[in-house]
Amino acid sequence: MLSEEKNERKREQKRWFRSFLRTLRPQLFLLVVVAVVFGLLMLFTHVSFQLYLYGLQLVLFFWLLSVGVQWLRYQKKADKVWRIRRSDPETFKNTEKPVDIVEQLYLDKYEELAQEYHEYRRKEAEKSKEQMEYFTLWLHQIKTPIAAISLLLQRRKEESADQKQMEQELLRLNDYTHMALNYLKLEDTGKEMDLEEVAVDAVIKETVKKYAILFIYNKIQLDYEPQGMTVLTDRKWLQVMLEQILSNSLKYTKAGKIRIYAENEHTLVVEDTGSGIRQEDLPKIFEKGYTGLSGRLHEKSTGLGLFLSRKICQRLGHQLKIESEVGKGTKAFLIFKRPELTIFD
């Protein structure tokens, strides 16, 4: 058994040496090119040929010394490869090919890691899909008890402060449920937008009607007149975006009014007299989960409303800008104008 191992080791060393010689081909080619170039220079400049031979011998001596060092290092690496091969024969199933044995180890390990990575990505994709399906199902199911609670509140004859508060909280609960559901829908890139000519006034009226309870109970004045604006957009997602913007205005406006008006034929403005946003928070308000100082002081802030609105704008090809000043209120600009396309004949 020991003699067989020695014989196998000798055969491996022969293979290592042949593989090592193949790695020296570029160096040998470069050495020959340098020798020829310097030989021609010596010939044209009439320098002593003995000096050229002396220099060539010196170069060959140092190169052979370098080859010896390279061989020792290569042999050390190959010895490690040999031990790995004995412990894991599957790693070297392709080593009969005439390539560098060390390089073959790296290639085999790379393929192994690549397969593991692709398997990991596949499992993560399946896991993410399962989670999306579960949360989508849960969000659809939770809408049933919300609708039932709403119906029970409508059947109550007496109106009290508690009932008004419950109606407001129920509206917020419904908003947060729809926000999560819309976020999941936006993450599904396979779903396309249904673009059509939409009357913005009709969408605004539906949105205002939804939040009428908050306007009435919080005694916030609404300043809005129909503008006759028509835009090319997706009606459902436009309403979702307006709901998020109007919900934010109502959330941070304790008293005063909210104005909805057209700045021009392409821009809709939602302006409130709320607490406003600090200038240092403005660049970050569209980041997911970012609430800023006003959001942290307001317990019900999620930091998802403006993030979701900006994402919808990007999908629809619109723009959303926010201008605000602490203590004076906030303006949200919905810009529907699209860049003009130039067609060349």
Side-chain angles (χ1 to χ4, degrees), residues 31-82:
L31 186 65
V32 171
V33 170
V34 171
V36 171
V37 169
F38 276 92
L40 292 174
L41 287 175
M42 293 289 184
L43 180 63
F44 293 143
T45 55
H46 305 287
V47 178
S48 173
F49 187 69
Q50 293 296 328
L51 183 62
Y52 170 71
L53 289 178
Y54 176 75
L56 186 60
Q57 291 172 4
L58 195 62
V59 170
L60 284 173
F61 170 76
F62 282 109
W63 181 69
L64 291 174
L65 187 64
S66 171
V67 168
V69 173
Q70 292 179 62
W71 164 246
L72 292 175
R73 295 177 62 185
Y74 187 88
Q75 193 176 28
K76 187 177 179 180
K77 290 182 180 179
D79 188 60
K80 290 181 180 179
V81 173
W82 184 76

